[in-house]
Amino acid sequence: MKETKSGKLIITSFESKKFHSIASFVADNRLEYVKVIPNDDMLLPGTILTAKVQNVVNNISAAFLSLNPAGDIGFLPLKDKSFRSGEEVLVQVVREPMKTKDYTLTDKISLSSQYAVATVGEGKLFFSQKLSPKKKEFIMDYLVSKAVITREKALIGISGFDITIRTSVNDLFEDQNLNLSALVSDIDEVVAALQTLINK
């Protein structure tokens, strides 16, 4: 650990995957300010990237993937899929590394927009648990009337993706001229973006 001081500014450097330095400012022997400076190579949760399978461990149903030239490794639980060493896989970071644990990954890629989240799935509609039953029913009626979903919450014309309606859709209900067309546009856009990403 290396420490340099300049007046009352103290910068402490670490060799860490998560961050490389902490800057703190001391005035009158009191700590006034602290900033953690993240490692430039840190992959944040939500990051989507193509990784190479290094090793498949069948007894724990998981694969370890090489994420970048810096040597970061990711842990990918395997459920219904199987991979081979050397295979390239599109993955998304779920959790940053902690202590001795590697990045946690998923191959169930998702993208968020203002009012909706599109996830690789089976063509179903879901709602944030924070939405009231009354609002869920109103949204359901609207999406059925616009031929976006069926009464059974199956998406129409969208296969391979699930949609989750986010809590932020509450903002639309605050408008006196309630119009959920922005939600439909959001669903179309986030699905198109995810399709483009998956098909690259």
Side-chain angles (χ1 to χ4, degrees), residues 121-126 152-155 158 161-164:
E122 301 173 356
K124 298 283 181 76
L125 180 77
F126 300 94
E152 292 72 37
K153 295 186 183 177
L155 297 169
I158 301 172
F161 301 106
D162 292 333
I163 297 295
T164 302

Side-chain angles (χ1 to χ4, degrees), residues 38-168:
N39 191 320
D40 291 339
D41 297 327
M42 189 69 189
L43 299 170
L44 299 175
T47 302
I48 298 169
L49 69 155
T50 301
K52 186 175 281 190
V53 177
Q54 264 194 345
N55 188 20
V56 177
V57 185
N58 291 321
N59 63 339
I60 61 169
S61 299
F64 292 91
L65 288 76
S66 174
L67 303 181
N68 52 32
D72 288 319
I73 302 295
F75 172 83
L76 176 65
L78 301 178
K79 293 180 182 174
D80 304 325
K81 295 184 181 180
S82 60
F83 297 111
R84 300 181 310 274
S85 277
E87 186 176 353
E88 292 193 336
V89 182
L90 189 67
V91 293
Q92 189 166 27
V93 176
V94 176
R95 226 178 357 257
E96 299 169 358
M98 295 179 64
K99 296 184 181 177
T100 59
K101 293 187 177 179
D102 297 315
Y103 286 93
T104 302
L105 309 171
T106 181
D107 60 348
K108 195 173 181 181
I109 310 299
S110 67
L111 283 180
S112 297
S113 61
Q114 187 172 3
Y115 304 119
V117 178
T119 308
V120 172
E122 301 173 356
K124 298 283 181 76
L125 180 77
F126 300 94
F127 289 94
S128 162
Q129 294 182 346
K130 293 180 181 177
L131 288 171
S132 70
K134 187 176 179 181
K135 287 179 181 175
K136 288 178 187 177
E137 190 58 36
F138 188 91
I139 293 168
M140 277 280 300
D141 289 343
Y142 183 83
L143 295 179
V144 168
S145 74
K146 296 298 180 184
V148 175
I149 60 168
T150 66
R151 264 286 152 207
E152 292 72 37
K153 295 186 183 177
L155 297 169
I156 298 172
I158 301 172
S159 60
F161 301 106
D162 292 333
I163 297 295
T164 302
I165 306 301
R166 303 180 64 188
T167 310
S168 55

